[in-house]
Amino acid sequence: MSEQPGLESALDQLAIPVLRVEEGTARVLFANTAARMLPFTLEPPAAPGAVLDAEGTPLPVEQHPVERAARGEPLEGELVRWAGPEGSRAFVVHARMDRSRSPGVATLSFQDVSGWHQTEADLRRALGARDTFLSVASHELKTPITVLQLVLERLQRGAHREVSLSGAQLVERLEPALRQVRRLGVLVQNLLDVSRARNNHFELECERFELGTLVREVCERFSEHARQAGSVLAVEDCPPVEVHWDRMRVEQALSNLITNAIKYGAGGPISVRAEPHEGAVSLRVEDRGPGVAEGDRERIFNPFERAASGHRGESLGLGLYIVREIARAHGGTVGLTGREGGGSCFTLRLPREAAEGGYE
Ligand SMILES: Nc1ncnc2c1ncn2[C@@H]1O[C@H](COP(=O)(O)OP(=O)(O)O)[C@@H](O)[C@H]1O
Ligand SMILES: [Mg+2]
């Protein structure tokens, strides 16, 4: 193809695609192995819309980097995208013309930065989610404090005026304050758990217990809450099975999944079941709500992440992250699949014998 075999075999060793192009004609004299391995061609002419600038605007043929390089324009790290069959790839393109012979030869290199772009987009997402979290969290902290303050001030005013309350009146006045204190407690517990999980300090205290009893107890605790949301919460299959897990943490994980099923289950029936397997047990929580779009099914397990559907105001996006960390500390997994006919199915799968201490 060309008269410089030494140079070309050296370029073939590079992981970065390189083209050598004839001055004026833009004829490709040489494409190294990395360039030939791409699932699309870097050479012009490209199909309309196949080559785009950094903002995603299609480039006219004369602006194709190979055409520009062949005209002798030096390219100093310009970002160009190619829309290939497997999605778009971003390259930083460098080009220089060598006119030591006639016609000259331009050498172009294409550094693939698609991964960096993805990382940048992920970081932006994570930062955005954290900012939203801060504003929701401060709102969530403020509400119970306001209620508490009102209740206490009212009681104090009564005491100043020496109004004596009956036991029943006192109970009634204290009820909203207690409800808010419980809410605060849960919130602060979640925040503590997140910071522990972040630092890999999620320590387990495992004990041997019968899982079926625990599942029924937890469901019993949530049945009234589910009823208020219009859902029937039922324990389906739950054969007696002995496990060696951190009882409190597993209760917490199951509670988080059930709370979500109630919150996002659109008032449909919710079922909970335990399935023993060889050496492991799956806990499954299913609802008939709108479910989670396939593209969001991994992301929602990350801290502060929430999918697009309702209840945004009061949700912090920590519940599933904590479930995932509890699973991880037990050496297990948690995953989400869609239900046939709509709804979500969350499966927490843990080895029957979790190692004490958590995290490998
Ligand atoms: N059963 C479910 N059905 C539909 N969406 C769900 C379900 N469970 C969780 N999600 C989605 O996942 C997101 C993250 O859940 P979670 O971490 O528990 O946070 P939160 O409940 O505070 O929003 C929720 O905001 C919601 O969008
Ligand atoms: Mg939740």
mmCIF file of all heavy atoms in Angstrom, residues 44 109 138 211 214 237 242 294 319 339:
data_model
loop_
_atom_site.group_PDB
_atom_site.id
_atom_site.type_symbol
_atom_site.label_atom_id
_atom_site.label_comp_id
_atom_site.label_asym_id
_atom_site.label_seq_id
_atom_site.Cartn_x
_atom_site.Cartn_y
_atom_site.Cartn_z
ATOM 1 N N PRO A 44 -13.559 9.305 4.884
ATOM 2 C CA PRO A 44 -14.672 9.913 4.175
ATOM 3 C C PRO A 44 -14.882 9.176 2.850
ATOM 4 O O PRO A 44 -13.953 8.482 2.416
ATOM 5 C CB PRO A 44 -14.195 11.342 3.911
ATOM 6 C CG PRO A 44 -12.703 11.246 3.892
ATOM 7 C CD PRO A 44 -12.315 10.074 4.747
ATOM 8 N N SER A 109 -4.256 10.802 14.091
ATOM 9 C CA SER A 109 -4.475 9.822 15.159
ATOM 10 C C SER A 109 -5.821 10.105 15.812
ATOM 11 O O SER A 109 -6.255 11.257 15.890
ATOM 12 C CB SER A 109 -3.346 9.894 16.181
ATOM 13 O OG SER A 109 -3.394 11.137 16.827
ATOM 14 N N SER A 138 -32.708 18.137 53.825
ATOM 15 C CA SER A 138 -32.904 19.239 54.766
ATOM 16 C C SER A 138 -34.395 19.517 54.962
ATOM 17 O O SER A 138 -34.838 19.801 56.058
ATOM 18 C CB SER A 138 -32.150 20.498 54.334
ATOM 19 O OG SER A 138 -31.941 20.519 52.970
ATOM 20 N N LEU A 211 -36.068 -18.284 59.346
ATOM 21 C CA LEU A 211 -36.409 -17.145 58.509
ATOM 22 C C LEU A 211 -37.906 -16.902 58.382
ATOM 23 O O LEU A 211 -38.359 -15.756 58.388
ATOM 24 C CB LEU A 211 -35.784 -17.350 57.117
ATOM 25 C CG LEU A 211 -36.020 -16.227 56.126
ATOM 26 C CD1 LEU A 211 -35.396 -14.930 56.608
ATOM 27 C CD2 LEU A 211 -35.451 -16.603 54.757
ATOM 28 N N LEU A 214 -39.411 -14.654 60.925
ATOM 29 C CA LEU A 214 -39.029 -13.251 60.731
ATOM 30 C C LEU A 214 -39.845 -12.626 59.597
ATOM 31 O O LEU A 214 -40.366 -11.515 59.730
ATOM 32 C CB LEU A 214 -37.536 -13.155 60.427
ATOM 33 C CG LEU A 214 -37.024 -11.754 60.091
ATOM 34 C CD1 LEU A 214 -35.708 -11.498 60.797
ATOM 35 C CD2 LEU A 214 -36.844 -11.535 58.608
ATOM 36 N N ASP A 237 -45.312 -18.309 49.698
ATOM 37 C CA ASP A 237 -44.536 -19.451 50.187
ATOM 38 C C ASP A 237 -43.487 -19.014 51.178
ATOM 39 O O ASP A 237 -42.782 -18.051 50.936
ATOM 40 C CB ASP A 237 -43.793 -20.104 49.021
ATOM 41 C CG ASP A 237 -44.761 -20.747 48.086
ATOM 42 O OD1 ASP A 237 -45.776 -21.262 48.585
ATOM 43 O OD2 ASP A 237 -44.512 -20.708 46.870
ATOM 44 N N GLU A 242 -33.587 -22.490 58.238
ATOM 45 C CA GLU A 242 -32.606 -21.931 59.186
ATOM 46 C C GLU A 242 -31.552 -21.147 58.424
ATOM 47 O O GLU A 242 -31.023 -21.634 57.420
ATOM 48 C CB GLU A 242 -31.895 -23.083 59.906
ATOM 49 C CG GLU A 242 -32.660 -23.692 61.025
ATOM 50 C CD GLU A 242 -32.025 -23.349 62.364
ATOM 51 O OE1 GLU A 242 -30.782 -23.381 62.450
ATOM 52 O OE2 GLU A 242 -32.776 -23.043 63.307
ATOM 53 N N GLU A 294 -36.369 -0.480 32.285
ATOM 54 C CA GLU A 294 -35.196 -1.339 32.260
ATOM 55 C C GLU A 294 -33.886 -0.554 32.413
ATOM 56 O O GLU A 294 -32.993 -0.986 33.140
ATOM 57 C CB GLU A 294 -35.186 -2.148 30.959
ATOM 58 C CG GLU A 294 -34.634 -3.528 31.200
ATOM 59 C CD GLU A 294 -35.085 -4.519 30.146
ATOM 60 O OE1 GLU A 294 -36.220 -4.369 29.636
ATOM 61 O OE2 GLU A 294 -34.288 -5.401 29.847
ATOM 62 N N GLY A 319 -32.963 3.874 50.405
ATOM 63 C CA GLY A 319 -33.459 2.559 50.823
ATOM 64 C C GLY A 319 -32.812 1.404 50.077
ATOM 65 O O GLY A 319 -32.295 0.465 50.687
ATOM 66 N N ARG A 339 -42.211 -7.697 36.367
ATOM 67 C CA ARG A 339 -43.185 -8.794 36.503
ATOM 68 C C ARG A 339 -43.972 -8.869 35.215
ATOM 69 O O ARG A 339 -44.284 -7.836 34.631
ATOM 70 C CB ARG A 339 -44.158 -8.488 37.626
ATOM 71 C CG ARG A 339 -43.850 -9.140 38.930
ATOM 72 C CD ARG A 339 -45.007 -8.972 39.875
ATOM 73 N NE ARG A 339 -45.988 -10.036 39.745
ATOM 74 C CZ ARG A 339 -47.108 -9.980 39.068
ATOM 75 N NH1 ARG A 339 -47.428 -8.902 38.396
ATOM 76 N NH2 ARG A 339 -47.938 -10.990 39.030
#
